[in-house]
Amino acid sequence: MACFEMFYEQCECFRKGSHHSNAILYNILSQKDTMNNNYSVGQYNCHCKVRRSVRLKNPEKTCQGASDILVKTISFMKNLPSFHQLPIKDQLALLQSSWAPLFILGLAQEGVNFDVTDVPATSMLKRILLDGQIPEASEPFDRPQPTLVGVQRLKSCLNKLWSLDLSPKEYAYLKGTILFNPDVPGLRTSQFIESLQQEAQRALHEVLAPLHPEDTGRFARILLIASTLKTITPMFITELFFRPIIGQTDLLDFLAEMLFAR
């Protein structure tokens, strides 16, 4: 019950008293909470934007565009000789840490926009009533679903990037500063990776001078906005853009295969 009480405190729908009208559904769902301690409160289909589950409005078109950008993201890594000089484990660690923010930069650079629609709130209830079974923990309902507030956070990041009107060179060097992150845990060559990040930052700073000679604060603004990309989790990106096409496949395993494919 502790996690449910936390959900009550955060969810506007519950504060307004809608939990009384959903008492029967809550009792059904509580059976799953009792059977599985890993149940996530994020699966309650409330209607406030904090917890409202959404999905792509045009998944076929948007997922195809997202897939193309993901391929370009991995190609960016593969085409960096300095990246291939790193130990395999460091390459994997940097891949895991950076693919999501690099993908978001790709969305911004390609000017990708997308719309979402609500996930029908009755889908889980229908399944329980029709099948007479509560979904197991390994089934899709147990995964955190994309929320409206998450989409708004992502679009806010994209709008900030678009407001900078970055050039291709600025995008390239910014990607380098994000990829070569020496603070990723478990790196064997963190000092070398730090030098690569500093090199990318210097190149970014140098390219700004002829492009924006009067905008002395542009470099700091770019790095500040780039730091906000970490607020968008890889799980959110995966569930929104790639789950419809990869199913139960582990996306990180797929990215690693792409990275090391010859």
Side-chain angles (χ1 to χ4, degrees), residues 60 122 198:
E60 184 175 348
T122 57
Q198 291 172 348

Side-chain angles (χ1 to χ4, degrees), residues 70-90:
L70 192 60
V71 170
K72 292 179 181 179
T73 299
I74 301 302
S75 295
F76 168 78
M77 297 182 191
K78 294 181 70 171
N79 291 330
L80 291 175
S82 54
F83 184 76
H84 289 289
Q85 295 176 18
L86 302 174
I88 297 297
K89 288 187 177 181
D90 282 6

Side-chain angles (χ1 to χ4, degrees), residues 4 137 209:
F4 185 77

Side-chain angles (χ1 to χ4, degrees), residues 16 30 42 76 98 122 124 129 208:
K16 290 180 179 180
S30 293
F76 168 78
S98 67
T122 57
M124 186 174 184
L129 295 179
L208 294 179

Side-chain angles (χ1 to χ4, degrees), residues 203-242:
L204 174 61
H205 192 273
E206 290 172 1
V207 81
L208 294 179
L211 293 176
H212 308 276
E214 298 180 359
D215 192 351
T216 56
R218 183 175 176 85
F219 178 72
R221 286 201 311 278
I222 290 175
L223 294 185
L224 179 61
I225 291 175
S227 69
T228 66
L229 303 184
K230 285 292 187 180
T231 64
I232 312 298
T233 66
M235 181 178 294
F236 174 83
I237 296 294
T238 300
E239 296 301 323
L240 182 63
F241 292 103
F242 301 110

Side-chain angles (χ1 to χ4, degrees), residues 77 83 86-102 178-189 193 230 234 252 256 259-260:
M77 297 182 191
F83 184 76
L86 302 174
I88 297 297
K89 288 187 177 181
D90 282 6
Q91 293 183 42
L92 287 172
L94 294 181
L95 170 67
Q96 182 175 6
S97 170
S98 67
W99 78 262
L102 291 178
I178 291 176
L179 173 61
F180 296 115
N181 179 8
D183 297 324
V184 173
L187 293 175
R188 295 182 177 179
T189 57
I193 291 171
K230 285 292 187 180
L252 188 59
L259 181 63
F260 297 115

